Amino acid sequence: MGVVETELTDAEAASFAETFGAVADEIGRVVLGQDDVVSGVLIAMIAGGHVLLEGPPGLGKTLLGRTLARALRLRFHRIQFTPDLMPSDVTGSSVFDQRENGFVFHPGPVFAELVLADEVNRAPAKTQAALLEAMSDRQVTVDGATRPLPRPFCVLATQNPIESEGTYPLPEAQLDRFLLKLLVAHPPIEVETDLLGRYLAGFDPSDLDAAAIREVTNGPGVLELQRLARRVRVDDGVLRYITALVGATRRHPAVDLGASPRASISLLLCAQVVAASDGRTYAVPDDVKGLAAAVLRHRFLLRPEAELEGISADDVVRDVLRDVPIPGGERG
Amino acid sequence: MIVLFAVWAAVAAEPHPLDAEAFRFCHEGGVDAEEAKLWCEVLEDAPEDRCPGLRATCAGEDPESTGLSCAPSSMRGGGSGRLRGRLPQPLDPSRGCEQPRSCDRSGCEQSDGCEPAAPGCQGDARTAMSWMLALFVALVVAVVIRLAVVWMGTDRRPKLAPASEAYVLPEDEAVPDAPAPDLLDGARRALEEGDPGRAVLLARAASLRALGAAGRVRLHVATTDREYVRAVRKDKPVKESLDAVVRPVERWRFGGRVPDRGVAEAVLAAAARLLASVGAAWLLWVGDAAASSRYGPLGDAALHALLEASGRVTVGGSLDDLDDVDVIVLDLELLQPSDDEWSKIEAFVDSGGGLLVAGPIEGRFGFTEWEPLDVGTVWADDAGLYLPDGPQRGFVGAPGELWVEADGTGVVVVVFGSDEPSVGEGAVAAVSDGRLLENGALVSTTNETLLLSLLSVLSSPGDQVLVLDEAMGGDAPPENPWTWHMLPFVVQLLTVLGVAAWSRGIPLVAPRPVDDAAHADLSEHVEALATRWRQARASRRAASAVARLVLDRMGRVALLAAARREGSSEAEAAALLARATEWADQPDGPDVPEEDLRLMEALWVLSKRS
């Protein structure tokens, strides 16, 4: 336990870190003041997961997706979720072709390597389920035919935390499908001022060509990064730390239903990517701790009375991180 | 309550006795042996019953065979020879007994004219009484708070059980609980024994312990090494050293790469740099806390006790606030003031203050040179000064009245006052060998009398004395916590907080007043919750939570009135209240979604409109 089949070499780790840093830098040139979100999205993509971005409108979530797709040379599709959106609008549908004298499948927007599902909680549950099924199985079934989705495949779903009128909150079981839930906050005022300066200088977010975003790698390159990350060594102590963290959410008094083993797996995958992005061939507890909130905050159910008292999921994660001993820590 | 606090304060304000627990080197054989043995020869000038522990240490006896006896400030005996005529007599015997002097485990001995129940022997009783009083006050405060909590009914927080007790990692992975220098020594030994892995682990532990002891980081069971590094990032040398220690360690512990000797040597060097950066004073303290404490042979606690026993008041503070200070005591071998600080000291003396200074004072107040002496073993001429191997240094070209000369090779103690132009209206007593101020020196009654005499030249009983090694050294190690005067108060607070937290799980703050804005927030909150739970299907637990919230915030009377205002009859309003109360009291009842939802919506409407 704890030892991967073929451990990453120092050279591979250095190469990984260089590529990761280059992609983050390219995105950071356009998306200002959101460094944590950028690196979170990159980590999720390389870990093979999907991201739920929660934040008010106008913070550059779409721009982030488009820039990421450009830097990684991936196909990018955006789906605006609305109450009348149908599952076939996401997955695609078969249309009768008179020339072929038969039904021809027209792939939906989900057939892209990077999909932005904007305001995912505005579509009814049936449409959400179609997307979430595609996310977990990486394939869609239409008219009895199963069609694989491209690889890599990553969904960036967004939702607005403020408005609740006319929304269909994602059930907890489906939230669990997202590797990370990242909170997108307003940038600092100086970053916002810098942003205005760029617009005055002629920056146009719809014209990424003008921004000269460099294509750092491509789809196969991302798949290679995924393979490298899986070879990062994770010590038994770190594994125990991960399971202890997740287990602690199940025992927390404010939690009705704790995080599932899928959360443990997610923490493990993320820790491996974080370690490799730091040029290391092994994961340390800090790698787990750094992303624990993003991995765990949407994976457990708070008790109603705790919610009434204003206890949030992040409070629970903070408690857990404060209570669970790290391997080799002070006795406390 | 106020009376109790006043009594407690009066008791706690008493000078702490120089009991056996403090001056252990003096009372228990073998304690601080290495440093204590430096003072063995001074015992020639000490009464037989003084410092049996030191005698045992010097004789190499078993520690258990020694008893407990007087502290160094018992002030018996007197000066001799040249000084006797001009020195004040030692303190009055009955006054001397105000400090504990001949106490053994069973009580007090009668000696030197002291009554068996001399006031000094009541120190232990006072201490015990202060502790009992502190606990009693804490208990009373806790009961009052408990009653207030019950009366106000502010128990709104959910009862949280302790989380995650089951996740304790094996102890062998934890940081060893030992002083940093010991850990570093262990690391060096491990390296010499050919175990670089253990060496780097111990070096890491030494680094963390040193930082923790210096208050630079708070060692905690859930803090990672990189978080410690980030905590000291503002101090670049320390950060770089710690980084150089923890990286190889984590590479080994988590990366499986055993460090070789070269890596281990680099880690040890970084750890040594870090320990040096954190501060030599701290290292001395953590290296051998007992030896370097204020109560060890080299400490200064006996000086403080002497000052207090002779009627002086020791004060804290700094050179920026000398208005109430009458005398400054400064050991230049421990503390070197800056030029700016010297200016303040000189101005203080010039305006009439007294200065007792030990060490290299050359260049100040007319002193020209401070040089080594070759006096001989246990030098004590008839002037009276007992120091191991004799005084090590003397003044040349000293101004003022020479109290203790060193056979023509120098001057060891000099006193001069306003007749010297360099001191203005004040007075200075200069001692060339700073060891005179150490606890070990005060084992000798001759030294004690000499020091008292110097103090009497500079000050009178009731004067305030600022001992600068303590006042200026902000980073000085703390005293033995068991002798802190504030400890009972801390115990009270902790007890109160503990009892309150244990009983109700609430923060100790006044209940929040609910104003209009808060009420609007409450309405929106309830509405949002109801909307959410309606979407996610209503449940008994959800309805119960809403009912509890509304009842807590609105109260039963307001809820009844609101229901009637909305058109309900008396009976309907009462039924709604009864249902809300039942739901609030029984959250685990069966789910009846329609009824739960109806109750939630009714309460939601009332809370929103009232």
Side-chain angles (χ1 to χ4, degrees), chain B residues 180-241:
Chain B
D182 290 356
L183 292 169
L184 193 57
D185 286 345
R188 292 191 178 112
R189 280 196 302 274
L191 188 59
E192 287 167 8
E193 291 164 6
D195 189 352
R198 181 167 169 72
V200 298
L201 277 184
L202 287 171
R204 165 187 172 268
S207 304
L208 294 182
R209 279 277 171 240
L211 290 170
R216 304 290 296 274
V217 300
R218 180 172 164 265
L219 298 183
H220 187 259
V221 68
T223 305
T224 65
D225 285 1
R226 285 166 184 251
E227 285 172 321
Y228 291 130
V229 173
R230 286 195 286 274
V232 297
R233 65 184 178 280
K234 288 182 181 171
D235 188 340
K236 203 174 173 190
V238 172
K239 187 245 178 195
E240 286 174 354
S241 299

Coordinates of all heavy atoms in Angstrom, one line a residue, chain B residues 180-241:
Chain B
A180 N 15.5 21.4 22.5 CA 16.1 21.4 21.2 C 17.6 21.0 21.2 O 18.0 20.2 20.3 CB 15.9 22.8 20.6
P181 N 18.4 21.6 22.1 CA 19.8 21.2 22.0 C 20.0 19.8 22.2 O 20.9 19.1 21.6 CB 20.4 22.1 23.1 CG 19.5 23.2 23.3 CD 18.2 22.7 23.1
D182 N 19.2 19.2 23.1 CA 19.4 17.7 23.4 C 19.1 16.9 22.1 O 19.7 16.0 21.7 CB 18.4 17.3 24.5 CG 18.9 17.8 25.8 OD1 20.0 18.4 25.9 OD2 18.2 17.6 26.8
L183 N 18.0 17.4 21.4 CA 17.6 16.7 20.1 C 18.7 16.9 19.1 O 19.1 15.9 18.4 CB 16.3 17.3 19.6 CG 15.1 17.0 20.5 CD1 13.9 17.8 20.0 CD2 14.8 15.5 20.4
L184 N 19.3 18.1 19.1 CA 20.4 18.3 18.1 C 21.6 17.4 18.4 O 22.2 16.9 17.5 CB 20.7 19.8 18.0 CG 21.6 20.2 16.8 CD1 20.9 19.9 15.5 CD2 21.9 21.7 16.9
D185 N 21.9 17.4 19.7 CA 23.0 16.5 20.1 C 22.7 15.0 19.7 O 23.6 14.3 19.3 CB 23.2 16.5 21.6 CG 23.8 17.9 22.0 OD1 24.4 18.5 21.1 OD2 23.8 18.2 23.2
G186 N 21.4 14.6 19.9 CA 21.0 13.3 19.5 C 21.2 13.1 18.0 O 21.6 12.0 17.6
A187 N 20.9 14.1 17.3 CA 21.1 14.0 15.8 C 22.6 13.8 15.5 O 22.9 13.0 14.6 CB 20.5 15.3 15.2
R188 N 23.4 14.5 16.2 CA 24.8 14.4 15.9 C 25.3 13.0 16.2 O 26.1 12.4 15.5 CB 25.6 15.5 16.6 CG 25.3 16.9 16.1 CD 26.3 17.9 16.7 NE 26.1 19.2 16.2 CZ 25.6 20.2 16.9 NH1 25.3 20.1 18.2 NH2 25.4 21.4 16.4
R189 N 24.8 12.5 17.4 CA 25.2 11.2 17.8 C 24.8 10.1 16.8 O 25.5 9.2 16.4 CB 24.7 10.9 19.2 CG 25.5 11.5 20.3 CD 25.1 10.8 21.6 NE 23.7 10.9 21.9 CZ 23.2 12.0 22.6 NH1 24.0 13.0 22.9 NH2 21.9 12.0 22.8
A190 N 23.5 10.3 16.3 CA 23.0 9.4 15.3 C 23.8 9.4 14.1 O 24.1 8.3 13.5 CB 21.5 9.7 15.0
L191 N 24.3 10.6 13.7 CA 25.1 10.6 12.5 C 26.4 9.9 12.7 O 26.9 9.2 11.8 CB 25.3 12.1 12.1 CG 26.0 12.4 10.8 CD1 25.2 11.8 9.6 CD2 26.1 13.9 10.5
E192 N 27.0 10.2 13.9 CA 28.2 9.5 14.2 C 28.1 8.0 14.2 O 29.0 7.2 13.9 CB 28.8 10.0 15.5 CG 29.3 11.4 15.5 CD 29.6 12.0 16.9 OE1 29.4 11.2 17.9 OE2 29.8 13.2 17.0
E193 N 26.9 7.5 14.6 CA 26.7 6.1 14.7 C 26.3 5.5 13.3 O 25.9 4.4 13.2 CB 25.5 5.8 15.7 CG 26.0 6.1 17.1 CD 24.8 6.1 18.1 OE1 23.7 5.9 17.6 OE2 25.0 6.5 19.3
G194 N 26.3 6.4 12.3 CA 26.0 5.9 11.0 C 24.5 5.8 10.6 O 24.1 4.9 9.9
D195 N 23.7 6.6 11.3 CA 22.2 6.6 11.0 C 21.7 8.0 10.6 O 21.1 8.7 11.3 CB 21.5 6.1 12.3 CG 20.0 5.9 12.0 OD1 19.5 6.2 10.9 OD2 19.3 5.4 13.0
P196 N 22.0 8.3 9.3 CA 21.7 9.7 8.9 C 20.2 9.9 8.8 O 19.7 11.0 9.0 CB 22.3 9.7 7.4 CG 22.5 8.3 7.0 CD 22.7 7.5 8.3
G197 N 19.4 8.8 8.6 CA 17.9 9.0 8.6 C 17.4 9.5 10.0 O 16.7 10.5 10.1
R198 N 17.9 8.8 11.0 CA 17.5 9.3 12.3 C 18.0 10.6 12.7 O 17.4 11.5 13.3 CB 17.9 8.2 13.4 CG 17.5 8.6 14.8 CD 17.8 7.4 15.7 NE 17.6 7.8 17.1 CZ 16.5 8.2 17.7 NH1 15.4 8.1 17.0 NH2 16.5 8.5 19.0
A199 N 19.2 10.9 12.1 CA 19.8 12.2 12.4 C 19.0 13.4 11.8 O 18.8 14.4 12.5 CB 21.2 12.2 11.8
V200 N 18.5 13.2 10.6 CA 17.7 14.3 10.0 C 16.4 14.4 10.7 O 15.8 15.5 10.9 CB 17.5 14.1 8.5 CG1 18.8 14.2 7.8 CG2 16.7 12.9 8.1
L201 N 15.8 13.3 11.1 CA 14.5 13.4 11.9 C 14.7 14.2 13.2 O 13.9 15.0 13.6 CB 14.0 12.0 12.2 CG 13.2 11.3 11.1 CD1 12.7 9.9 11.7 CD2 12.1 12.1 10.6
L202 N 15.8 13.8 13.9 CA 16.1 14.5 15.2 C 16.4 16.0 14.9 O 16.0 16.9 15.7 CB 17.2 13.8 15.9 CG 16.8 12.5 16.5 CD1 18.0 11.8 17.1 CD2 15.8 12.7 17.7
A203 N 17.1 16.3 13.8 CA 17.4 17.7 13.5 C 16.1 18.5 13.2 O 16.0 19.6 13.6 CB 18.3 17.7 12.3
R204 N 15.2 17.8 12.5 CA 13.9 18.5 12.3 C 13.2 18.7 13.6 O 12.7 19.8 13.9 CB 13.0 17.6 11.4 CG 11.6 18.0 11.4 CD 10.7 17.0 10.6 NE 9.3 17.3 10.8 CZ 8.5 16.7 11.7 NH1 9.0 15.9 12.6 NH2 7.2 17.0 11.8
A205 N 13.2 17.7 14.5 CA 12.5 17.9 15.8 C 13.2 19.0 16.6 O 12.5 19.8 17.2 CB 12.6 16.6 16.5
A206 N 14.5 19.1 16.5 CA 15.2 20.1 17.3 C 14.8 21.5 16.7 O 14.6 22.4 17.5 CB 16.7 19.9 17.1
S207 N 14.7 21.6 15.4 CA 14.3 22.9 14.8 C 13.0 23.3 15.3 O 12.7 24.5 15.7 CB 14.4 22.8 13.3 OG 15.7 22.4 12.9
L208 N 12.0 22.4 15.2 CA 10.6 22.7 15.6 C 10.5 23.0 17.0 O 9.8 24.0 17.4 CB 9.7 21.6 15.2 CG 9.6 21.3 13.7 CD1 8.5 20.2 13.4 CD2 9.1 22.5 12.9
R209 N 11.2 22.2 17.9 CA 11.2 22.5 19.3 C 11.8 23.9 19.6 O 11.2 24.6 20.4 CB 12.0 21.5 20.0 CG 11.2 20.2 20.2 CD 10.3 20.2 21.5 NE 9.5 19.1 21.5 CZ 8.2 19.1 21.4 NH1 7.5 20.2 21.4 NH2 7.4 18.0 21.5
A210 N 12.9 24.2 18.9 CA 13.5 25.6 19.2 C 12.5 26.7 18.8 O 12.3 27.6 19.6 CB 14.8 25.7 18.4
L211 N 11.9 26.5 17.7 CA 11.0 27.6 17.2 C 9.7 27.6 18.1 O 9.2 28.7 18.5 CB 10.5 27.3 15.8 CG 11.6 27.5 14.7 CD1 11.1 26.9 13.4 CD2 11.9 28.9 14.6
G212 N 9.3 26.5 18.6 CA 8.2 26.4 19.5 C 8.5 27.1 20.8 O 7.7 27.9 21.4
A213 N 9.7 26.8 21.3 CA 10.1 27.3 22.6 C 10.3 28.8 22.6 O 10.0 29.5 23.5 CB 11.4 26.7 23.1
A214 N 10.7 29.3 21.4 CA 10.9 30.7 21.2 C 9.6 31.5 20.9 O 9.6 32.7 20.7 CB 12.0 31.0 20.1
G215 N 8.5 30.7 20.8 CA 7.3 31.4 20.5 C 7.1 31.8 19.0 O 6.2 32.5 18.6
R216 N 8.0 31.3 18.2 CA 7.9 31.6 16.7 C 6.9 30.8 16.0 O 6.3 31.3 15.0 CB 9.3 31.4 16.1 CG 10.4 32.1 16.8 CD 10.3 33.6 16.6 NE 10.5 34.0 15.2 CZ 11.6 34.1 14.6 NH1 12.8 34.1 15.2 NH2 11.7 34.5 13.3
V217 N 6.6 29.6 16.4 CA 5.5 28.8 15.9 C 4.8 28.2 17.0 O 5.3 28.1 18.1 CB 6.0 27.7 14.9 CG1 6.8 28.3 13.7 CG2 6.9 26.7 15.6
R218 N 3.6 27.8 16.7 CA 2.8 27.1 17.7 C 2.8 25.6 17.3 O 2.1 25.3 16.3 CB 1.4 27.7 17.9 CG 0.6 27.0 18.9 CD -0.7 27.7 19.1 NE -1.7 26.8 19.8 CZ -2.6 26.1 19.1 NH1 -2.7 26.1 17.8 NH2 -3.4 25.3 19.8
L219 N 3.5 24.8 18.0 CA 3.5 23.4 17.6 C 2.1 22.8 17.8 O 1.5 22.9 18.9 CB 4.5 22.6 18.4 CG 6.0 23.1 18.2 CD1 6.9 22.2 19.0 CD2 6.4 23.1 16.8
H220 N 1.6 22.1 16.8 CA 0.3 21.6 16.9 C 0.2 20.3 16.1 O 0.9 20.1 15.1 CB -0.7 22.6 16.3 CG -2.2 22.1 16.5 ND1 -2.9 21.6 15.5 CD2 -2.9 22.2 17.6 CE1 -4.1 21.3 16.0 NE2 -4.1 21.6 17.3
V221 N -0.6 19.4 16.6 CA -0.7 18.1 16.0 C -1.2 18.1 14.6 O -0.8 17.1 13.8 CB -1.7 17.3 16.9 CG1 -3.1 17.8 16.8 CG2 -1.6 15.8 16.6
A222 N -1.8 19.1 14.1 CA -2.4 19.1 12.8 C -1.7 20.1 11.9 O -2.2 20.5 10.8 CB -3.9 19.4 12.8
T223 N -0.5 20.6 12.3 CA 0.2 21.5 11.5 C 1.3 20.8 10.7 O 2.1 20.0 11.3 CB 0.8 22.6 12.3 OG1 -0.3 23.2 13.1 CG2 1.4 23.7 11.5
T224 N 1.4 21.1 9.4 CA 2.4 20.5 8.6 C 3.7 21.3 8.6 O 3.8 22.4 9.0 CB 2.0 20.4 7.1 OG1 1.9 21.7 6.6 CG2 0.6 19.7 7.0
D225 N 4.8 20.6 8.2 CA 6.1 21.3 8.2 C 6.1 22.5 7.3 O 6.7 23.5 7.7 CB 7.2 20.3 7.7 CG 7.5 19.2 8.8 OD1 6.9 19.3 9.9 OD2 8.4 18.4 8.5
R226 N 5.4 22.4 6.2 CA 5.4 23.5 5.3 C 4.6 24.7 5.9 O 4.9 25.9 5.6 CB 4.8 23.1 3.9 CG 5.8 22.3 3.2 CD 5.2 21.6 2.0 NE 6.3 20.8 1.4 CZ 6.8 21.1 0.2 NH1 6.4 22.1 -0.5 NH2 7.7 20.3 -0.3
E227 N 3.6 24.4 6.7 CA 2.9 25.5 7.4 C 3.9 26.2 8.4 O 3.8 27.4 8.6 CB 1.7 24.9 8.1 CG 0.6 24.6 7.1 CD -0.6 23.9 7.7 OE1 -0.4 23.0 8.5 OE2 -1.8 24.2 7.3
Y228 N 4.7 25.4 9.1 CA 5.7 26.0 10.0 C 6.6 26.9 9.2 O 6.9 28.0 9.6 CB 6.5 24.9 10.7 CG 5.7 24.1 11.7 CD1 5.8 22.7 11.7 CD2 4.9 24.7 12.7 CE1 5.1 22.0 12.6 CE2 4.2 24.0 13.6 CZ 4.3 22.6 13.6 OH 3.6 21.9 14.5
V229 N 7.0 26.4 8.0 CA 7.9 27.2 7.2 C 7.2 28.5 6.8 O 7.8 29.6 6.9 CB 8.4 26.5 5.9 CG1 9.1 27.4 5.0 CG2 9.2 25.3 6.3
R230 N 6.0 28.4 6.4 CA 5.2 29.6 6.0 C 5.1 30.6 7.2 O 5.0 31.8 7.1 CB 3.9 29.3 5.4 CG 3.9 28.7 4.1 CD 2.6 28.7 3.4 NE 1.7 27.7 3.9 CZ 1.7 26.4 3.5 NH1 2.5 26.0 2.5 NH2 0.8 25.5 4.0
A231 N 5.0 30.0 8.4 CA 4.8 30.8 9.6 C 6.0 31.7 9.9 O 5.8 32.8 10.5 CB 4.4 29.9 10.8
V232 N 7.2 31.3 9.5 CA 8.4 32.1 9.8 C 8.9 32.7 8.5 O 10.1 33.2 8.5 CB 9.5 31.2 10.4 CG1 9.0 30.6 11.7 CG2 9.9 30.0 9.5
R233 N 8.1 32.8 7.5 CA 8.6 33.3 6.2 C 9.1 34.8 6.3 O 9.9 35.1 5.4 CB 7.5 33.2 5.1 CG 6.3 34.0 5.3 CD 5.3 33.8 4.2 NE 4.1 34.6 4.4 CZ 3.1 34.3 5.3 NH1 3.2 33.2 6.0 NH2 2.0 35.0 5.4
K234 N 8.6 35.5 7.2 CA 9.1 36.9 7.3 C 10.5 37.0 7.8 O 11.2 38.0 7.6 CB 8.1 37.7 8.2 CG 6.8 38.0 7.6 CD 5.9 38.8 8.4 CE 4.5 39.0 7.8 NZ 3.6 39.6 8.7
D235 N 11.0 36.0 8.5 CA 12.4 36.0 8.9 C 13.1 35.1 8.0 O 13.2 33.9 8.1 CB 12.4 35.4 10.4 CG 13.8 35.6 11.0 OD1 14.8 35.7 10.2 OD2 13.9 35.5 12.2
K236 N 13.8 35.8 7.0 CA 14.3 35.0 5.9 C 15.4 34.0 6.3 O 15.3 32.8 5.9 CB 14.9 36.0 4.9 CG 15.0 35.3 3.5 CD 15.5 36.4 2.5 CE 15.7 35.7 1.1 NZ 16.4 36.5 0.2
P237 N 16.4 34.3 7.2 CA 17.4 33.3 7.6 C 16.7 32.1 8.2 O 17.1 31.0 8.0 CB 18.3 34.1 8.5 CG 18.1 35.5 8.2 CD 16.7 35.7 7.8
V238 N 15.8 32.4 9.1 CA 15.1 31.3 9.8 C 14.3 30.4 8.8 O 14.3 29.2 8.9 CB 14.2 31.8 11.0 CG1 13.4 30.7 11.6 CG2 15.1 32.4 12.0
K239 N 13.6 31.1 8.0 CA 12.8 30.4 7.0 C 13.7 29.5 6.1 O 13.3 28.3 5.8 CB 12.1 31.4 6.1 CG 11.0 30.8 5.2 CD 11.4 31.0 3.8 CE 10.5 30.4 2.8 NZ 11.0 30.3 1.4
E240 N 14.8 30.1 5.6 CA 15.7 29.3 4.8 C 16.3 28.1 5.5 O 16.4 27.0 5.0 CB 16.8 30.2 4.2 CG 16.3 31.1 3.1 CD 17.3 32.1 2.7 OE1 18.4 32.1 3.2 OE2 17.0 32.9 1.7
S241 N 16.6 28.3 6.7 CA 17.2 27.2 7.5 C 16.2 26.1 7.7 O 16.4 24.9 7.6 CB 17.7 27.7 8.9 OG 18.7 28.7 8.7

